[in-house]
Amino acid sequence: MDAALNEQSVTTEQEDFLDYLHASIAETLRVPESEILIKLNKHKYHDAGAPDVTNGDLTEVFNIMRELNLAGVSNPSLGRGHNGGLSLREALQQTVRELATRCDPGAYHYVELGPEPIKTALILEGLADLAAPPASYLGIDINPASRPVMREAVARYVPAGSLRQVVDDYERLERLPLPWDRKPALVTMLGFQEGNEPPSDMTDWYRRLLRPGDMLLCEMQLVPQSDWSPIYCFYNDDLMRRFSRKTLTAKFGDVKSEYGVTVVAMPPGYPAKGIVVMTTERIVDGGPFNGKIVVTNYCTKYPADEFRTLREANGAFEVLCQTVTGDGSIAFQLARRR
């Protein structure tokens, strides 16, 4: 891992995971490891020198993610597959109906890790329509740019004065900053964010933050059984290309580059088998970084059964339901902390 990109301390798990990705992509692309620069995913979402301050780069990153989610739920055919089945929006709506049967009205806290307004508003609107609204909303985000947008998206669905927002890296928290009122929490992480971290780290953070009886709703891009085209279509979308380019220019300025997508196997030794998809920018401007390949994003993906295995592997969680789109490419998984 390039020292210039290692802007803050990382866990041992993250260090090992990045070292594996560094070596794997170099081997796959047949270039020396010295030509590969890899960046912790979370560095894209905040300014380490001013973590509470919003700037143009952070706002653009947040807006790109918002546009991706809006495009996903607005497309009535996305996720259906060739033989029909649930679209992305329908899979989310089915999950909300399941949630409503398990959430007592006004008797739970809604907690969002890495807030995003589009799917969150759909969930909260659905829960309100099904008479199962939360008692409060807590958003925890490393990116301060999310605050005004999330306030506008969420405020109408929770009681006045019950909306809280915390700018922090959730992996640093020892517990969720919730009232000691014995109400359970529904904790969500949407938009494939779980795939942005090594799976063992995510499992440890979830186990530490959630209390017995709390529920966890996560969205994951899956590895379909046969047709991987949804993965490649996603990473070739103009918004993902823009996201990758923004990550590059925020660090290196307006250099010329070529976009790429590389897939490698998950490292051995993890409880679930899967793949890691990496987006890259090869700098081609003739300057001091010419020829360097910058990994702008990496994200783990699992087959549907392996995603369930991953959640239950350490015994801390029980999967209650897992709703998958018709093409097998996206899952919404609801689990309970034991």
Side-chain angles (χ1 to χ4, degrees), residues 176 183-185 187 209-216 335-337:
L176 294 174
K183 288 187 177 75
V187 179
L209 293 176
L210 276 72
R211 303 165 298 184
D214 289 348
M215 289 191 294
L216 175 66
R336 178 183 286 122
R337 178 74 162 88

Side-chain angles (χ1 to χ4, degrees), residues 218-234:
C218 290
E219 179 186 13
M220 176 65 70
Q221 186 172 42
L222 301 175
V223 180
Q225 288 186 346
S226 55
D227 181 9
W228 287 23
S229 62
I231 294 177
Y232 289 104
C233 285
F234 176 75

Side-chain angles (χ1 to χ4, degrees), residues 42-318:
K42 64 183 178 182
H43 288 167
K44 297 188 287 286
Y45 302 106
H46 81 301
D47 181 346
D52 293 326
V53 178
T54 299
N55 60 43
D57 288 337
L58 296 179
T59 299
E60 184 173 354
V61 165
F62 179 79
N63 286 336
I64 292 172
M65 293 296 99
R66 180 186 178 280
E67 289 179 49
L68 274 169
N69 282 294
L70 180 60
V73 300
S74 300
N75 184 340
S77 63
L78 183 69
R80 283 192 185 280
H82 300 301
N83 299 318
L86 296 175
S87 68
L88 170 65
R89 187 185 186 100
E90 291 166 338
L92 180 57
Q93 289 170 329
Q94 182 169 311
T95 302
V96 172
R97 290 192 291 272
E98 177 68 26
L99 276 173
T101 68
R102 298 178 180 275
C103 295
D104 293 331
Y108 66 97
H109 300 290
Y110 192 108
V111 180
E112 188 170 13
L113 305 178
E116 71 79 36
I118 304 302
K119 290 170 185 165
T120 300
L122 282 175
I123 293 170
L124 290 171
E125 181 180 23
L127 290 170
D129 289 345
L130 294 167
S136 69
Y137 171 89
L138 170 64
I140 302 174
D141 200 353
I142 199 171
N143 186 351
S146 69
R147 286 179 292 188
V149 181
M150 292 307 303
R151 278 196 300 272
E152 182 177 355
V154 169
R156 73 193 74 174
Y157 301 115
V158 296
S162 69
L163 191 160
R164 289 189 61 210
Q165 294 170 290
V166 175
V167 177
D168 204 345
D169 184 353
Y170 59 81
E171 71 179 68
R172 299 179 344 119
L173 301 178
E174 291 300 321
R175 58 177 293 272
L176 294 174
L178 291 171
W180 291 98
D181 58 8
R182 299 185 179 273
K183 288 187 177 75
L186 168 61
V187 179
T188 71
M189 179 173 277
L190 304 172
F192 312 156
Q193 290 185 80
E194 181 170 346
N196 285 341
E197 298 289 350
S200 296
D201 272 354
M202 290 304 308
T203 298
D204 290 343
W205 296 331
Y206 287 151
R207 182 170 50 188
R208 185 176 73 237
L209 293 176
L210 276 72
R211 303 165 298 184
D214 289 348
M215 289 191 294
L216 175 66
L217 173 61
C218 290
E219 179 186 13
M220 176 65 70
Q221 186 172 42
L222 301 175
V223 180
Q225 288 186 346
S226 55
D227 181 9
W228 287 23
S229 62
I231 294 177
Y232 289 104
C233 285
F234 176 75
Y235 282 98
N236 280 304
D237 187 275
D238 287 344
L239 287 167
M240 284 304 296
R241 288 171 173 265
R242 193 171 128 207
F243 182 61
S244 177
R245 176 72 184 164
K246 170 51 64 175
T247 300
L248 176 76
T249 59
K251 183 68 182 179
F252 293 95
D254 191 23
V255 295
K256 293 181 180 180
S257 64
E258 297 173 345
Y259 178 72
V261 179
T262 301
V263 180
V264 301
M266 278 286 292
Y270 284 100
K273 298 179 177 65
I275 62 173
V276 186
V277 180
M278 288 178 272
T279 59
T280 59
E281 298 285 346
R282 184 191 294 267
I283 298 175
V284 292
D285 69 344
F289 294 102
N290 188 59
K292 298 292 186 183
I293 298 172
V294 180
V295 178
T296 52
N297 190 69
Y298 51 88
C299 192
T300 59
K301 324 281 182 187
Y302 309 95
D305 57 342
E306 292 291 322
F307 185 34
R308 181 183 291 266
T309 296
L310 176 69
R311 185 66 71 239
E312 296 184 332
N314 68 355
F317 288 90
E318 170 195 9

